[in-house]
Amino acid sequence: DFAEWVRVKDYSPHELCFTKIKKLVRTRYPEARFVLFGSAGSQLAIQGSDIDVLVHDETVKFPVLFNSVLSMLLEAYWTVYVERIESVVPILKLKDAETGIHADVCFNREDGYKGLTCAISMQIHFPELRPLYFILKVFLKERDGLD
C-alpha cells in the first residue's frame, strides 16, 4: 500500500546521525539528555526526512548550550554544513556527510517530548490515521509545503 511504499524502512542512517550528535555533545555535557522526536522518532518518516533532536541539560543556560554545540558542530569532521536558524524556536541545522541525513537540533524544550508522546499515542489508539498521515505528508512535500 501507499504508506508502506513511501515510509522509511531502514532507520539506521537516522540513528547513526542521532548517535553522532549525542556523542559529540556528551564530550562537553555528559549529563545532557537527548530525544529523537518528530517523524523519525515516531516512526512516521518518509524517504528523505530529516531528524529532529532535542538536547536537554537544565544545568546549562540556553544561550551557552546553543552556542557551545554550534561551535562543536562547526568543528566536527562529519558535518557537511551547520546553520544557525534564529526564529521563535532557535535551532541548529546540519547535514551528516556520511549518511546524508539532515538534522534540526533544538535545546532545553519540553514540547519535543510532548509531541513524540502524542504521536505515538495517536498511532496506538487510531491506527487508521497512519496511512492518512503519509498521504498528507507526501502531498505537502510535493507542493513544497515541507522543508
Side-chain angles (χ1 to χ4, degrees):
D1 82 320
F2 184 75
E4 283 300 306
W5 182 60
V6 298
R7 75 175 180 84
V8 170
K9 292 156 193 71
D10 178 14
Y11 281 92
S12 58
H14 300 77
E15 291 164 5
L16 178 59
C17 183
F18 180 58
T19 298
K20 287 178 178 181
I21 294 167
K22 287 193 307 188
K23 284 182 178 178
L24 180 70
V25 174
R26 280 204 173 122
T27 62
R28 193 168 298 160
Y29 301 104
E31 301 301 315
R33 293 179 297 146
F34 301 84
V35 176
L36 179 64
F37 68 102
S39 62
S42 59
Q43 304 285 296
L44 289 170
I46 61 173
Q47 300 299 323
S49 290
D50 68 356
I51 63 172
D52 298 294
V53 177
L54 169 64
V55 177
H56 194 270
D57 188 335
E58 56 196 32
T59 66
V60 183
K61 292 187 187 276
F62 171 83
V64 173
L65 186 59
F66 185 89
N67 290 316
S68 177
V69 173
L70 172 61
S71 64
M72 288 189 287
L73 288 168
L74 287 168
E75 295 172 9
Y77 71 90
W78 51 268
T79 56
V80 174
Y81 76 85
V82 177
E83 182 181 3
R84 174 188 192 128
I85 305 293
E86 294 292 340
S87 62
V88 174
V89 178
I91 62 170
L92 300 176
K93 286 186 160 294
L94 65 101
K95 182 177 179 184
D96 178 4
E98 179 184 356
T99 64
I101 297 293
H102 293 256
D104 293 343
V105 184
C106 65
F107 302 87
N108 288 352
R109 300 188 55 86
E110 296 298 324
D111 51 357
Y113 297 114
K114 293 175 184 174
L116 179 61
T117 303
C118 179
I120 292 170
S121 175
M122 288 298 173
Q123 289 182 73
I124 292 168
H125 290 91
F126 304 102
E128 64 276 8
L129 291 178
R130 188 175 170 84
L132 294 173
Y133 172 86
F134 284 114
I135 290 168
L136 181 60
K137 190 158 184 176
V138 169
F139 177 81
L140 289 172
K141 186 173 184 176
E142 289 300 313
R143 303 277 186 292
D144 292 327
L146 297 173
D147 63 1

